Short mmCIF file of all heavy atoms in Angstrom, two decimals:
data_model
loop_
_atom_site.label_atom_id
_atom_site.label_comp_id
_atom_site.label_asym_id
_atom_site.label_seq_id
_atom_site.Cartn_x
_atom_site.Cartn_y
_atom_site.Cartn_z
N VAL A 327 280.71 7.36 79.52
CA VAL A 327 279.57 7.04 78.65
C VAL A 327 279.97 7.22 77.18
O VAL A 327 279.68 6.37 76.33
CB VAL A 327 278.35 7.95 78.98
CG1 VAL A 327 277.26 7.78 77.95
CG2 VAL A 327 277.83 7.64 80.36
N CYS A 328 280.66 8.29 76.89
CA CYS A 328 281.08 8.55 75.51
C CYS A 328 281.99 7.43 74.99
O CYS A 328 281.86 6.98 73.86
CB CYS A 328 281.84 9.88 75.40
SG CYS A 328 280.78 11.30 75.63
N LEU A 329 282.91 6.97 75.84
CA LEU A 329 283.82 5.92 75.40
C LEU A 329 283.06 4.62 75.11
O LEU A 329 283.35 3.93 74.14
CB LEU A 329 284.88 5.67 76.47
CG LEU A 329 286.02 6.70 76.49
CD1 LEU A 329 286.94 6.47 77.67
CD2 LEU A 329 286.81 6.65 75.19
N GLU A 330 282.09 4.32 75.95
CA GLU A 330 281.28 3.12 75.71
C GLU A 330 280.57 3.19 74.37
O GLU A 330 280.54 2.23 73.61
CB GLU A 330 280.19 3.02 76.79
CG GLU A 330 280.48 2.02 77.88
CD GLU A 330 279.43 2.13 78.97
OE1 GLU A 330 278.23 2.05 78.65
OE2 GLU A 330 279.82 2.31 80.14
N VAL A 331 280.02 4.36 74.09
CA VAL A 331 279.27 4.53 72.86
C VAL A 331 280.21 4.52 71.65
O VAL A 331 279.87 3.97 70.60
CB VAL A 331 278.46 5.85 72.94
CG1 VAL A 331 277.84 6.18 71.62
CG2 VAL A 331 277.41 5.73 74.02
N MET A 332 281.40 5.11 71.79
CA MET A 332 282.40 5.05 70.73
C MET A 332 282.75 3.59 70.41
O MET A 332 282.87 3.20 69.27
CB MET A 332 283.71 5.74 71.15
CG MET A 332 283.64 7.22 71.40
SD MET A 332 283.74 8.18 69.89
CE MET A 332 282.02 8.45 69.63
N LEU A 333 282.92 2.81 71.50
CA LEU A 333 283.28 1.41 71.30
C LEU A 333 282.17 0.65 70.57
O LEU A 333 282.45 -0.14 69.67
CB LEU A 333 283.60 0.75 72.66
CG LEU A 333 283.97 -0.73 72.58
CD1 LEU A 333 285.14 -0.97 71.63
CD2 LEU A 333 284.32 -1.27 73.97
N ASP A 334 280.93 0.91 70.94
CA ASP A 334 279.82 0.26 70.22
C ASP A 334 279.88 0.61 68.73
O ASP A 334 279.67 -0.25 67.88
CB ASP A 334 278.48 0.72 70.80
CG ASP A 334 278.22 0.08 72.16
OD1 ASP A 334 278.91 -0.91 72.49
OD2 ASP A 334 277.35 0.59 72.89
N GLY A 335 280.18 1.87 68.44
CA GLY A 335 280.28 2.30 67.04
C GLY A 335 281.41 1.59 66.32
O GLY A 335 281.26 1.15 65.18
N VAL A 336 282.54 1.45 66.99
CA VAL A 336 283.69 0.75 66.39
C VAL A 336 283.33 -0.72 66.14
O VAL A 336 283.64 -1.29 65.10
CB VAL A 336 284.93 0.86 67.30
CG1 VAL A 336 286.00 -0.14 66.92
CG2 VAL A 336 285.47 2.28 67.27
N MET A 337 282.63 -1.34 67.10
CA MET A 337 282.27 -2.75 66.93
C MET A 337 281.29 -2.93 65.77
O MET A 337 281.33 -3.94 65.08
CB MET A 337 281.67 -3.32 68.23
CG MET A 337 282.62 -3.41 69.41
SD MET A 337 284.31 -3.99 69.03
CE MET A 337 284.01 -5.69 68.56
N GLU A 338 280.45 -1.94 65.54
CA GLU A 338 279.56 -2.01 64.38
C GLU A 338 280.36 -2.03 63.08
O GLU A 338 280.04 -2.75 62.14
CB GLU A 338 278.61 -0.81 64.36
CG GLU A 338 277.34 -1.03 65.14
CD GLU A 338 276.59 0.27 65.35
OE1 GLU A 338 276.64 1.15 64.46
OE2 GLU A 338 275.96 0.42 66.42
N GLU A 339 281.43 -1.22 63.04
CA GLU A 339 282.29 -1.21 61.85
C GLU A 339 282.96 -2.57 61.68
O GLU A 339 283.09 -3.08 60.57
CB GLU A 339 283.41 -0.16 61.99
CG GLU A 339 282.95 1.23 62.34
CD GLU A 339 282.79 2.09 61.10
OE1 GLU A 339 283.57 1.90 60.15
OE2 GLU A 339 281.87 2.94 61.11
N LEU A 340 283.40 -3.16 62.80
CA LEU A 340 284.16 -4.40 62.73
C LEU A 340 283.26 -5.62 62.50
O LEU A 340 283.71 -6.66 62.04
CB LEU A 340 284.98 -4.59 64.01
CG LEU A 340 286.13 -3.57 64.18
CD1 LEU A 340 286.79 -3.72 65.54
CD2 LEU A 340 287.16 -3.74 63.07
N TYR A 341 282.01 -5.44 62.80
CA TYR A 341 281.04 -6.53 62.66
C TYR A 341 281.05 -7.08 61.23
O TYR A 341 280.97 -8.30 61.01
CB TYR A 341 279.65 -6.01 63.03
CG TYR A 341 278.55 -6.97 62.82
CD1 TYR A 341 278.37 -8.04 63.69
CD2 TYR A 341 277.66 -6.84 61.75
CE1 TYR A 341 277.35 -8.95 63.51
CE2 TYR A 341 276.63 -7.73 61.56
CZ TYR A 341 276.48 -8.79 62.43
OH TYR A 341 275.47 -9.68 62.24
N THR A 342 281.19 -6.17 60.25
CA THR A 342 281.09 -6.58 58.85
C THR A 342 282.15 -7.61 58.47
O THR A 342 281.90 -8.47 57.62
CB THR A 342 281.23 -5.38 57.91
OG1 THR A 342 282.42 -4.68 58.27
CG2 THR A 342 280.06 -4.43 58.04
N ILE A 343 283.35 -7.53 59.08
CA ILE A 343 284.38 -8.50 58.67
C ILE A 343 284.07 -9.90 59.19
O ILE A 343 284.69 -10.87 58.77
CB ILE A 343 285.78 -8.08 59.16
CG1 ILE A 343 285.79 -7.89 60.67
CG2 ILE A 343 286.26 -6.81 58.45
CD1 ILE A 343 287.17 -7.61 61.22
N TYR A 344 283.11 -10.00 60.08
CA TYR A 344 282.76 -11.32 60.61
C TYR A 344 281.71 -12.03 59.77
O TYR A 344 281.43 -13.20 59.98
CB TYR A 344 282.29 -11.20 62.06
CG TYR A 344 283.44 -11.18 63.03
CD1 TYR A 344 284.04 -9.98 63.38
CD2 TYR A 344 283.97 -12.36 63.55
CE1 TYR A 344 285.11 -9.94 64.25
CE2 TYR A 344 285.05 -12.34 64.41
CZ TYR A 344 285.63 -11.13 64.76
OH TYR A 344 286.69 -11.11 65.61
N ARG A 345 281.13 -11.31 58.83
CA ARG A 345 280.12 -11.96 57.99
C ARG A 345 280.77 -13.10 57.22
O ARG A 345 281.79 -12.92 56.57
CB ARG A 345 279.55 -10.95 56.99
CG ARG A 345 278.40 -10.21 57.60
CD ARG A 345 277.53 -9.59 56.53
NE ARG A 345 276.91 -8.41 57.11
CZ ARG A 345 277.08 -7.18 56.64
NH1 ARG A 345 277.78 -6.97 55.55
NH2 ARG A 345 276.51 -6.18 57.24
N GLY A 346 280.17 -14.25 57.32
CA GLY A 346 280.67 -15.40 56.57
C GLY A 346 281.89 -16.05 57.19
O GLY A 346 282.44 -16.99 56.62
N SER A 347 282.35 -15.54 58.33
CA SER A 347 283.49 -16.22 58.96
C SER A 347 282.96 -17.37 59.81
O SER A 347 281.78 -17.41 60.14
CB SER A 347 284.28 -15.25 59.83
OG SER A 347 283.60 -15.02 61.04
N SER A 348 283.86 -18.28 60.17
CA SER A 348 283.39 -19.43 60.94
C SER A 348 283.09 -19.01 62.38
O SER A 348 283.53 -17.95 62.83
CB SER A 348 284.46 -20.52 60.94
OG SER A 348 285.49 -20.15 61.83
N ASP A 349 282.35 -19.85 63.09
CA ASP A 349 281.92 -19.51 64.44
C ASP A 349 283.08 -19.38 65.41
O ASP A 349 282.99 -18.71 66.42
CB ASP A 349 280.96 -20.59 64.99
CG ASP A 349 279.62 -20.50 64.29
OD1 ASP A 349 279.39 -19.47 63.62
OD2 ASP A 349 278.83 -21.45 64.39
N SER A 350 284.18 -20.06 65.06
CA SER A 350 285.30 -20.04 65.99
C SER A 350 286.06 -18.73 65.94
O SER A 350 286.97 -18.51 66.72
CB SER A 350 286.23 -21.22 65.70
OG SER A 350 286.75 -21.07 64.40
N GLY A 351 285.70 -17.88 64.99
CA GLY A 351 286.32 -16.55 64.98
C GLY A 351 287.39 -16.37 63.90
O GLY A 351 287.50 -17.17 62.97
N ILE A 352 288.18 -15.33 64.05
CA ILE A 352 289.18 -14.94 63.06
C ILE A 352 290.51 -14.80 63.78
O ILE A 352 290.57 -14.25 64.89
CB ILE A 352 288.78 -13.58 62.42
CG1 ILE A 352 287.43 -13.71 61.70
CG2 ILE A 352 289.86 -13.09 61.46
CD1 ILE A 352 286.91 -12.40 61.12
N PRO A 353 291.60 -15.29 63.16
CA PRO A 353 292.91 -15.16 63.82
C PRO A 353 293.26 -13.68 64.06
O PRO A 353 292.99 -12.83 63.20
CB PRO A 353 293.89 -15.78 62.83
CG PRO A 353 293.06 -16.58 61.88
CD PRO A 353 291.69 -15.99 61.87
N LEU A 354 293.87 -13.43 65.19
CA LEU A 354 294.19 -12.05 65.58
C LEU A 354 294.99 -11.32 64.49
O LEU A 354 294.73 -10.14 64.21
CB LEU A 354 294.97 -12.08 66.90
CG LEU A 354 295.36 -10.72 67.50
CD1 LEU A 354 294.15 -9.84 67.71
CD2 LEU A 354 296.10 -10.91 68.82
N ALA A 355 295.93 -12.01 63.87
CA ALA A 355 296.77 -11.35 62.85
C ALA A 355 295.91 -10.74 61.75
O ALA A 355 296.20 -9.65 61.26
CB ALA A 355 297.75 -12.37 62.26
N LYS A 356 294.85 -11.45 61.39
CA LYS A 356 293.98 -10.96 60.32
C LYS A 356 293.10 -9.80 60.77
O LYS A 356 292.58 -9.05 59.94
CB LYS A 356 293.06 -12.09 59.83
CG LYS A 356 293.70 -12.99 58.83
CD LYS A 356 292.64 -13.66 57.97
CE LYS A 356 293.30 -14.44 56.87
NZ LYS A 356 292.59 -15.69 56.58
N LEU A 357 292.92 -9.70 62.05
CA LEU A 357 292.05 -8.63 62.57
C LEU A 357 292.76 -7.29 62.68
O LEU A 357 292.12 -6.24 62.76
CB LEU A 357 291.52 -9.02 63.96
CG LEU A 357 290.48 -10.12 63.99
CD1 LEU A 357 290.18 -10.52 65.44
CD2 LEU A 357 289.19 -9.66 63.31
N LEU A 358 294.10 -7.34 62.68
CA LEU A 358 294.83 -6.09 62.94
C LEU A 358 294.55 -4.98 61.92
O LEU A 358 294.29 -3.84 62.33
CB LEU A 358 296.34 -6.37 63.05
CG LEU A 358 296.74 -7.28 64.22
CD1 LEU A 358 298.25 -7.44 64.29
CD2 LEU A 358 296.20 -6.75 65.55
N PRO A 359 294.56 -5.28 60.61
CA PRO A 359 294.28 -4.17 59.68
C PRO A 359 292.90 -3.53 59.88
O PRO A 359 292.81 -2.30 59.97
CB PRO A 359 294.41 -4.81 58.29
CG PRO A 359 295.25 -6.02 58.50
CD PRO A 359 294.94 -6.50 59.89
N PRO A 360 291.82 -4.31 60.00
CA PRO A 360 290.53 -3.64 60.25
C PRO A 360 290.47 -2.92 61.60
O PRO A 360 289.84 -1.87 61.70
CB PRO A 360 289.49 -4.76 60.19
CG PRO A 360 290.21 -6.04 60.13
CD PRO A 360 291.61 -5.76 59.71
N VAL A 361 291.14 -3.47 62.61
CA VAL A 361 291.15 -2.79 63.92
C VAL A 361 291.81 -1.42 63.77
O VAL A 361 291.27 -0.40 64.19
CB VAL A 361 291.89 -3.63 64.98
CG1 VAL A 361 292.28 -2.79 66.18
CG2 VAL A 361 291.02 -4.79 65.43
N ALA A 362 292.97 -1.39 63.12
CA ALA A 362 293.66 -0.11 62.93
C ALA A 362 292.83 0.81 62.04
O ALA A 362 292.80 2.02 62.23
CB ALA A 362 295.04 -0.34 62.33
N GLY A 363 292.15 0.21 61.06
CA GLY A 363 291.33 1.00 60.13
C GLY A 363 290.20 1.73 60.82
O GLY A 363 289.85 2.86 60.47
N ALA A 364 289.64 1.07 61.85
CA ALA A 364 288.54 1.71 62.58
C ALA A 364 289.01 3.01 63.21
O ALA A 364 288.25 3.97 63.32
CB ALA A 364 288.01 0.76 63.65
N GLY A 365 290.29 3.04 63.57
CA GLY A 365 290.85 4.26 64.16
C GLY A 365 290.81 5.43 63.19
O GLY A 365 290.59 6.57 63.61
N SER A 366 291.00 5.14 61.90
CA SER A 366 290.95 6.28 60.97
C SER A 366 289.52 6.69 60.66
O SER A 366 289.23 7.87 60.51
CB SER A 366 291.75 6.01 59.69
OG SER A 366 291.48 4.77 59.19
N THR A 367 288.61 5.70 60.60
CA THR A 367 287.20 6.06 60.37
C THR A 367 286.69 7.03 61.43
O THR A 367 285.92 7.94 61.13
CB THR A 367 286.31 4.80 60.44
OG1 THR A 367 286.96 3.76 59.73
CG2 THR A 367 284.94 5.05 59.86
N LEU A 368 287.16 6.82 62.66
CA LEU A 368 286.70 7.66 63.76
C LEU A 368 287.00 9.14 63.52
O LEU A 368 286.27 10.01 63.98
CB LEU A 368 287.40 7.24 65.05
CG LEU A 368 286.76 6.11 65.85
CD1 LEU A 368 287.80 5.40 66.69
CD2 LEU A 368 285.68 6.68 66.75
N LEU A 369 288.11 9.41 62.86
CA LEU A 369 288.56 10.80 62.76
C LEU A 369 288.38 11.37 61.35
O LEU A 369 288.85 12.47 61.06
CB LEU A 369 290.03 10.91 63.19
CG LEU A 369 290.34 10.39 64.60
CD1 LEU A 369 291.82 10.51 64.90
CD2 LEU A 369 289.53 11.15 65.64
N GLU A 370 287.72 10.61 60.48
CA GLU A 370 287.53 11.09 59.12
C GLU A 370 286.31 12.00 58.99
O GLU A 370 285.50 12.09 59.89
CB GLU A 370 287.36 9.89 58.17
CG GLU A 370 288.64 9.54 57.47
CD GLU A 370 288.63 8.11 56.97
OE1 GLU A 370 287.53 7.52 56.86
OE2 GLU A 370 289.73 7.57 56.74
N HIS A 371 286.18 12.61 57.80
CA HIS A 371 285.00 13.41 57.46
C HIS A 371 284.56 14.37 58.56
O HIS A 371 283.50 14.19 59.16
CB HIS A 371 283.81 12.50 57.13
CG HIS A 371 284.14 11.45 56.12
ND1 HIS A 371 284.56 11.76 54.85
CD2 HIS A 371 284.13 10.11 56.20
CE1 HIS A 371 284.80 10.64 54.19
NE2 HIS A 371 284.54 9.61 54.98
N PRO A 372 285.38 15.37 58.82
CA PRO A 372 285.04 16.29 59.91
C PRO A 372 283.62 16.86 59.83
O PRO A 372 283.01 17.12 60.87
CB PRO A 372 286.09 17.40 59.79
CG PRO A 372 286.89 17.12 58.58
CD PRO A 372 286.65 15.72 58.17
N ASP A 373 283.09 17.01 58.62
CA ASP A 373 281.77 17.63 58.52
C ASP A 373 280.63 16.61 58.56
O ASP A 373 279.47 16.97 58.69
CB ASP A 373 281.66 18.46 57.25
CG ASP A 373 282.61 19.65 57.32
OD1 ASP A 373 282.63 20.30 58.38
OD2 ASP A 373 283.34 19.88 56.34
N GLU A 374 280.97 15.36 58.39
CA GLU A 374 279.93 14.34 58.31
C GLU A 374 280.33 13.14 59.16
O GLU A 374 280.17 12.01 58.73
CB GLU A 374 279.77 13.89 56.85
CG GLU A 374 278.60 14.49 56.12
CD GLU A 374 277.29 14.26 56.88
OE1 GLU A 374 276.99 13.11 57.26
OE2 GLU A 374 276.60 15.26 57.10
N ASN A 375 280.89 13.41 60.30
CA ASN A 375 281.45 12.32 61.09
C ASN A 375 280.36 11.62 61.90
O ASN A 375 279.69 12.22 62.72
CB ASN A 375 282.55 12.87 62.00
CG ASN A 375 283.27 11.80 62.77
OD1 ASN A 375 282.68 11.11 63.59
ND2 ASN A 375 284.55 11.65 62.50
N ARG A 376 280.24 10.31 61.64
CA ARG A 376 279.21 9.52 62.30
C ARG A 376 279.36 9.55 63.82
O ARG A 376 278.39 9.64 64.57
CB ARG A 376 279.33 8.07 61.82
CG ARG A 376 278.26 7.15 62.33
CD ARG A 376 278.23 5.88 61.52
NE ARG A 376 279.18 4.87 61.99
CZ ARG A 376 278.90 3.97 62.93
NH1 ARG A 376 277.72 3.94 63.47
NH2 ARG A 376 279.80 3.08 63.29
N PHE A 377 280.60 9.48 64.28
CA PHE A 377 280.83 9.41 65.71
C PHE A 377 280.52 10.73 66.41
O PHE A 377 280.03 10.74 67.52
CB PHE A 377 282.27 8.95 65.98
CG PHE A 377 282.50 7.52 65.58
CD1 PHE A 377 282.88 7.20 64.29
CD2 PHE A 377 282.29 6.50 66.49
CE1 PHE A 377 283.08 5.88 63.91
CE2 PHE A 377 282.48 5.17 66.12
CZ PHE A 377 282.87 4.87 64.82
N ILE A 378 280.81 11.84 65.72
CA ILE A 378 280.47 13.14 66.31
C ILE A 378 278.95 13.26 66.41
O ILE A 378 278.42 13.78 67.40
CB ILE A 378 281.05 14.29 65.45
CG1 ILE A 378 282.57 14.27 65.51
CG2 ILE A 378 280.53 15.64 65.95
CD1 ILE A 378 283.25 15.33 64.69
N ARG A 379 278.27 12.75 65.39
CA ARG A 379 276.79 12.79 65.45
C ARG A 379 276.27 11.96 66.61
O ARG A 379 275.33 12.35 67.30
CB ARG A 379 276.21 12.27 64.13
CG ARG A 379 276.05 13.34 63.07
CD ARG A 379 274.93 12.97 62.10
NE ARG A 379 275.00 11.60 61.62
CZ ARG A 379 275.73 11.20 60.57
NH1 ARG A 379 276.43 12.07 59.89
NH2 ARG A 379 275.74 9.95 60.19
N ILE A 380 276.89 10.80 66.80
CA ILE A 380 276.44 9.94 67.90
C ILE A 380 276.62 10.66 69.24
O ILE A 380 275.71 10.68 70.07
CB ILE A 380 277.22 8.60 67.92
CG1 ILE A 380 276.89 7.78 66.66
CG2 ILE A 380 276.90 7.79 69.17
CD1 ILE A 380 277.70 6.50 66.52
N LEU A 381 277.78 11.28 69.42
CA LEU A 381 278.02 12.00 70.68
C LEU A 381 277.01 13.13 70.86
O LEU A 381 276.50 13.36 71.95
CB LEU A 381 279.44 12.58 70.71
CG LEU A 381 280.60 11.58 70.82
CD1 LEU A 381 281.94 12.31 70.82
CD2 LEU A 381 280.47 10.74 72.07
N ALA A 382 276.75 13.83 69.75
CA ALA A 382 275.84 14.99 69.83
C ALA A 382 274.43 14.56 70.24
O ALA A 382 273.68 15.35 70.80
CB ALA A 382 275.82 15.72 68.51
N SER A 383 274.09 13.30 69.93
CA SER A 383 272.71 12.89 70.22
C SER A 383 272.56 12.25 71.59
O SER A 383 271.47 11.88 72.00
CB SER A 383 272.24 11.91 69.14
OG SER A 383 272.97 10.71 69.27
N LEU A 384 273.65 12.12 72.31
CA LEU A 384 273.56 11.46 73.62
C LEU A 384 272.90 12.36 74.66
O LEU A 384 273.35 13.48 74.89
CB LEU A 384 274.96 11.11 74.14
CG LEU A 384 275.65 9.88 73.58
CD1 LEU A 384 277.03 9.73 74.24
CD2 LEU A 384 274.82 8.64 73.83
N PRO A 385 271.86 11.87 75.31
CA PRO A 385 271.22 12.68 76.35
C PRO A 385 272.19 13.03 77.49
O PRO A 385 272.10 14.11 78.06
CB PRO A 385 270.08 11.80 76.86
CG PRO A 385 270.23 10.48 76.22
CD PRO A 385 271.19 10.59 75.09
N GLN A 386 273.11 12.13 77.77
CA GLN A 386 274.06 12.41 78.85
C GLN A 386 274.97 13.59 78.51
O GLN A 386 275.35 14.36 79.38
CB GLN A 386 274.94 11.17 79.15
CG GLN A 386 274.18 10.03 79.79
CD GLN A 386 273.65 9.05 78.75
OE1 GLN A 386 273.45 9.41 77.59
NE2 GLN A 386 273.40 7.83 79.16
N VAL A 387 275.32 13.69 77.22
CA VAL A 387 276.17 14.81 76.80
C VAL A 387 275.39 16.11 76.92
O VAL A 387 275.90 17.12 77.42
CB VAL A 387 276.69 14.60 75.35
CG1 VAL A 387 277.33 15.88 74.81
CG2 VAL A 387 277.70 13.47 75.31
#
Side-chain angles (χ1 to χ4, degrees):
V327 170
C328 290
L329 282 174
E330 258 173 54
V331 171
M332 295 278 97
L333 179 55
D334 287 344
V336 165
M337 294 318 293
E338 272 167 33
E339 307 265 326
L340 292 174
Y341 175 74
T342 52
I343 56 175
Y344 276 89
R345 273 200 208 119
S347 77
S348 76
D349 288 346
S350 62
I352 299 176
L354 182 56
K356 277 205 174 143
L357 288 173
L358 297 182
V361 163
S366 46
T367 317
L368 273 155
L369 303 178
E370 262 158 19
H371 309 300
D373 294 315
E374 259 306 309
N375 185 297
R376 185 164 85 89
F377 291 88
I378 293 179
R379 273 207 313 274
I380 294 175
L381 290 179
S383 68
L384 281 180
Q386 291 92 337
V387 168

